[in-house]
């Protein structure tokens, strides 16, 4: 049982009197008042005042008295229960007198996470400042409960419905803009000025609609939000600020990571009819991969994409590859750096995020030849740029000897986002079934799997930290493997006839028997 007291008090006031019994006035001439507290005569009434508690805790490290108190309870039993809970937490080591707010704690926690990489820190900072603090920052750590975090996610779901309405409005504005443009374009000359004015108004409406938030905070992002907050509250539990991790009990929509789906002929035909992708993560068949490589052979970034198709580096790893890490004599490339983009679109270099990501990949002969050509082309471009710089230094700055394998005309490395945009633009021009640039890694895995490489070798090639991740993602990727798996049991059963030869007999058995009738005809029995 706790050591302390349960008592009742109220906020009633009476004039403050001096020793002579006269009201005490403040600087403005108004009468000062004092609370009656536990001395109010109305406290005997059931609905008057509220219940309080105070708990006597062991003295602090400097001998100071520790007596936390709290009020506002409707019943004595509620105050007693809260006091007992506080006593249990205090005796269990929880710092029940902490007044640190959620805002103060989260900023302190983030400041102390010196182990985070720059992109991860940027994401965590965004979560803390944009999501957690507006929703939870005003609470003290002692007040925080699961219901507060659950309410934060309910607000996110409500905002998603607003974004959905914004998307529909933007789609409607786009359709109206296209219709207004076509009406102006197809009008006979001289075109009526009101058609152009209508088109301009439609473009302004589309611009305004697109400025509204439209991107959902999906189940994957919600899971990251909960996991990040849970990691922070885990530290709070270790510091004895809270009794348990309140984020672990939050319920979210079910999230399943999308698996890679192959572009079969049937899926391609359906996509051409509807314009819809079967999955966010798509993979080309070897035939489609060959079509892309043939069509992209003259593109400036062909060597990079060829490297990604067959050796599977990530976008940032390919863009961040330096000549110093390419051994042309041995035919290898060391993946030791990647170019990363933060939330402000700024590009910077850093090491891969795991030990398995730092790896050495062997170059196939075709990629090896392409890199040799890439080096010659880069040297020629440098000579051209330096000549331009000599002629017009104001227009053409000095050549940047960045050391990267894939560079622009002036030697600067490619921004990873721009590489993705160029890839997407090329696919639209070639009318290829769409995939993400990152999905070229899946192409590399599927081609390696079809060529007979083990799952362990594919894990090392892609730089996955987990064998399970590789196996779960790529076990049933290519259609031919599924067909072989389906045919294998049939091949084990000895048959007098070839499988499928009995189809005719089944068809005959399903046909109704016939009987002869007068005149030589037949009818069903």
């Amino acid at each position: 049982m706790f050591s302390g007291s349960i008592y009742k008090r109220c906020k009633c006031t009476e004039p403050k009197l001096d020793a002579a019994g006269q009201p005490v006035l403040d600087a403005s001439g108004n009468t000062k008042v004092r609370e009656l507290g536990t001395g109010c005569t109305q406290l005997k009434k059931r609905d008057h005042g509220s219940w309080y508690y105070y708990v006597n805790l062991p003295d602090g490290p400097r001998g100071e008295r520790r007596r936390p108190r709290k009020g506002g309870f409707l019943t004595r039993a509620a105050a007693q229960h809260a006091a007992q809970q506080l006593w249990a937490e205090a005796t269990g080591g929880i710092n029940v007198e902490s007044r640190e707010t959620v805002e103060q704690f989260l900023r302190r926690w983030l400041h102390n996470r010196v182990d985070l990489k720059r992109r991860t820190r940027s994401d965590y900072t965004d979560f803390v400042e944009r999501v957690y603090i507006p929703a939870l920052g005003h609470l003290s750590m002692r007040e925080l409960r699961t219901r507060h975090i659950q309410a934060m996610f309910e607000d996110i779901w409500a905002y998603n419905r607003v974004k959905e309405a914004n998307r529909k409005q933007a789609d409607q504005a786009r359709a109206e803009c296209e219709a207004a443009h076509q009406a102006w374009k197809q009008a006979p000359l001289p075109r009526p000025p009101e058609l152009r004015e209508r088109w301009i108004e439609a473009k302004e409406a589309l611009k305004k609609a697109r400025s509204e938030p439209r991107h959902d905070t999906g189940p994957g992002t919600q899971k990251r939000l909960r996991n990040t907050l849970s990691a922070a509250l885990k530290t709070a539990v270790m510091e004895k600020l809270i009794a348990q991790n309140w984020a672990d009990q939050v319920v979210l929509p079910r999230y399943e990571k999308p698996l890679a789906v192959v572009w079969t002929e049937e899926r391609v035909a359906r996509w051409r009819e509807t314009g819809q992708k079967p999955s966010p993560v798509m993979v080309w068949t070897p035939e489609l991969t060959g079509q892309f490589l043939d069509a992209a052979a003259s593109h400036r970034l062909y060597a990079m994409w060829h490297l990604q198709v067959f050796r599977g580096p990530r976008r940032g790893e390919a863009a961040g590859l330096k000549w110093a890490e390419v051994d042309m004599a041995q035919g290898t490339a060391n993946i030791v750096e990647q170019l990363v983009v933060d939330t402000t679109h700024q590009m910077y270099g850093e090491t891969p995020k795991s030990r398995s990501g730092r790896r050495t990949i062997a170059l196939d002969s075709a990629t090896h030849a392409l890199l040799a050509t890439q080096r010659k082309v880069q040297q020629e471009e440098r000579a051209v740029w330096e000549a331009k710089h000599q002629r017009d230094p104001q227009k053409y700055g000095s050549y940047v000897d960045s050391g990267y394998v894939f560079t622009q005309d002036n030697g600067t490395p490619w921004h990873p986002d721009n590489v993705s945009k160029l890839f997407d633009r090329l696919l639209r021009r070639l009318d290829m079934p769409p995939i993400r640039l990152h999905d070229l890694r899946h192409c590399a895995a599927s081609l390696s799997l079809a060529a007979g490489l083990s799952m362990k070798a594919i894990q090392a090639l892609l730089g996955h930290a987990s064998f399970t991740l590789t196996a779960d993602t790529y076990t049933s990727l290519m259609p031919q493997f599924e067909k072989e798996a389906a045919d294998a049991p049939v091949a084990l059963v000895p048959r007098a006839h070839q499988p499928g030869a009995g189809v005719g007999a089944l068809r005959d058995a399903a046909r109704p028997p016939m009987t002869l009738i007068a005149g030589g005809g037949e009818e069903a029995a």
Side-chain angles (χ1 to χ4, degrees):
M1 186 67 180
F2 72 93
S3 171
S5 177
I6 305 296
Y7 58 95
K8 198 177 186 184
R9 63 171 294 158
C10 67
K11 299 289 186 179
C12 295
T13 61
E14 65 178 5
K16 194 173 183 179
L17 305 178
D18 58 15
Q22 296 300 316
V24 178
L25 305 179
D26 59 18
S28 302
N30 299 318
T31 302
K32 291 185 177 182
V33 297
R34 69 179 186 89
E35 288 188 359
L36 295 179
T38 58
C40 180
T41 58
Q42 302 293 320
L43 288 178
K44 293 181 180 181
K45 295 182 179 180
R46 191 171 187 178
D47 60 347
H48 190 80
S50 60
W51 289 93
Y52 285 70
Y53 71 76
Y54 73 81
V55 177
N56 291 317
L57 299 179
D59 291 344
R62 291 181 293 275
E64 67 273 17
R65 188 175 70 168
R66 301 169 63 212
R67 182 182 281 185
R69 67 183 65 231
K70 187 175 182 180
F73 299 97
L74 295 179
T75 64
R76 180 185 184 89
Q80 188 168 0
H81 175 76
Q84 186 62 43
Q85 186 176 22
L86 181 77
W87 174 264
E89 291 179 354
T91 55
I94 300 298
N95 183 7
V96 296
E97 293 185 303
S98 171
R99 296 186 179 182
E100 187 173 29
T101 65
V102 174
E103 176 180 359
Q104 293 168 338
F105 167 75
L106 288 175
R107 289 193 171 131
R108 177 170 63 84
W109 170 77
L110 189 58
H111 175 76
N112 292 337
R113 287 298 306 271
V114 295
D115 58 320
L116 298 178
K117 285 186 174 291
R118 180 173 168 179
R119 178 55 191 264
T120 305
R121 175 172 293 279
S122 177
D123 289 343
Y124 283 11
T125 301
D126 178 62
F127 291 167
V128 167
E129 300 295 337
R130 183 177 56 85
V131 182
Y132 302 150
I133 289 179
L136 309 171
H138 62 285
L139 298 170
S140 70
M141 290 296 292
R142 296 283 302 130
E143 296 173 330
L144 181 65
R145 293 294 185 271
T146 297
R147 66 178 182 273
H148 301 125
I149 305 173
Q150 190 73 57
M152 178 185 75
F153 282 101
E154 290 174 358
D155 289 341
I156 290 175
W157 303 336
Y159 196 30
N160 278 345
R161 292 191 288 270
V162 174
K163 294 175 181 176
E164 182 181 6
N166 291 341
R167 286 197 301 273
K168 293 180 179 179
Q169 186 175 358
D171 291 340
Q172 181 180 357
R174 184 184 302 106
E176 292 174 355
C177 183
E178 292 175 354
H181 179 226
Q182 289 298 321
W184 174 81
K185 188 176 181 180
Q186 296 173 1
L189 297 176
R191 297 188 179 99
E194 60 270 16
L195 293 181
R196 183 173 181 83
E197 291 176 1
R198 191 179 306 162
W199 178 31
I200 293 175
E201 291 176 357
K203 286 196 295 184
E204 289 298 324
L206 177 59
K207 183 179 179 180
K208 181 179 180 181
R210 283 177 170 172
S211 67
E212 298 296 330
R214 292 173 291 141
H215 184 66
D216 270 354
T217 303
T221 303
Q222 292 177 38
K223 183 178 179 181
R224 289 184 61 206
L225 284 167
R226 182 183 63 183
N227 290 349
T228 303
L229 184 58
S230 177
L233 296 186
K234 181 179 178 181
T235 301
V237 172
M238 294 172 60
E239 294 181 356
K240 301 297 185 180
L241 288 176
I242 54 178
Q244 64 185 89
N245 192 331
W246 304 111
D248 289 347
Q249 301 175 23
V250 172
V251 180
L252 297 181
R254 183 178 179 84
Y255 170 70
E256 293 184 358
K257 186 177 181 180
L259 296 178
V261 176
V262 180
W263 275 116
T264 60
E265 292 183 3
E266 294 77 10
R267 288 168 179 158
V268 172
R270 182 63 178 169
W271 164 71
R272 295 196 184 283
E273 292 177 3
T274 64
Q276 297 179 348
K277 292 172 58 176
S279 170
V281 183
M282 299 301 299
V283 183
W284 285 329
T285 60
E287 293 75 17
L288 288 172
T289 305
Q291 292 178 25
F292 167 73
L293 292 175
D294 289 341
S298 60
H299 196 280
R300 179 181 183 84
L301 292 176
Y302 172 72
M304 179 190 289
W305 295 334
H306 189 281
L307 174 68
Q308 291 177 271
V309 164
F310 290 104
R311 308 316 295 155
R314 298 175 176 85
R315 179 187 73 169
E317 294 170 348
L321 182 62
K322 290 187 175 182
W323 286 115
E325 300 301 332
V326 178
D327 189 336
M328 296 298 289
Q330 297 295 326
T332 60
N334 300 316
I335 306 299
V336 296
E337 181 184 348
Q338 59 179 345
L339 292 181
V340 183
V341 182
D342 63 16
T343 54
T344 63
H345 197 63
Q346 296 298 313
M347 176 182 67
Y348 59 93
E350 70 175 15
T351 59
K353 57 183 179 181
S354 66
R355 290 179 62 95
S356 56
R358 297 188 290 271
R359 62 199 186 278
T360 299
I361 57 176
L363 302 175
D364 60 274
S365 56
T367 303
H368 186 276
L370 283 171
L371 291 183
T373 303
Q374 171 70 14
R375 173 171 281 180
K376 294 178 181 178
V377 170
Q378 194 177 73
Q379 292 170 349
E380 294 172 357
E381 289 180 343
R382 177 172 186 170
V384 171
W385 186 271
E386 289 179 342
K388 292 180 179 179
H389 172 66
Q390 290 180 357
R391 290 195 303 268
D392 191 351
Q394 297 295 330
K395 184 176 181 180
Y396 301 96
S398 300
Y399 185 84
V400 180
D401 188 8
S402 61
Y404 288 96
V405 174
F406 304 106
T407 58
Q408 303 179 66
D409 291 348
N410 64 346
T412 57
W414 284 95
H415 193 291
D417 284 350
N418 292 338
V419 175
S420 295
K421 291 177 182 178
L422 288 172
F423 180 76
D424 295 340
R425 192 179 305 160
L426 179 61
L427 294 192
R428 289 194 295 270
R429 181 163 61 85
L430 298 177
D431 196 27
M432 292 284 298
I435 65 172
R436 304 171 305 165
L437 179 61
H438 184 77
D439 293 337
L440 292 182
R441 276 171 58 81
H442 300 312
C443 290
S446 61
L447 292 173
S448 299
L449 195 61
L453 268 70
S454 68
M455 200 64 69
K456 192 66 178 178
I458 295 175
Q459 176 194 355
L461 174 67
L462 299 180
H464 283 164
S466 167
F467 175 83
T468 303
L469 172 63
T470 309
D472 290 348
T473 305
Y474 301 116
T475 297
S476 301
L477 192 58
M478 300 302 288
Q480 58 263 37
F481 298 137
E482 297 178 1
K483 187 175 186 304
E484 291 173 2
D487 287 341
V490 179
L492 293 175
V493 180
R495 300 290 302 277
H497 304 286
Q498 291 293 329
V503 174
L506 289 174
R507 188 184 300 115
D508 292 340
R511 184 180 301 152
M514 310 300 291
T515 57
L516 294 176
I517 60 176
E522 294 179 343
E523 69 175 2

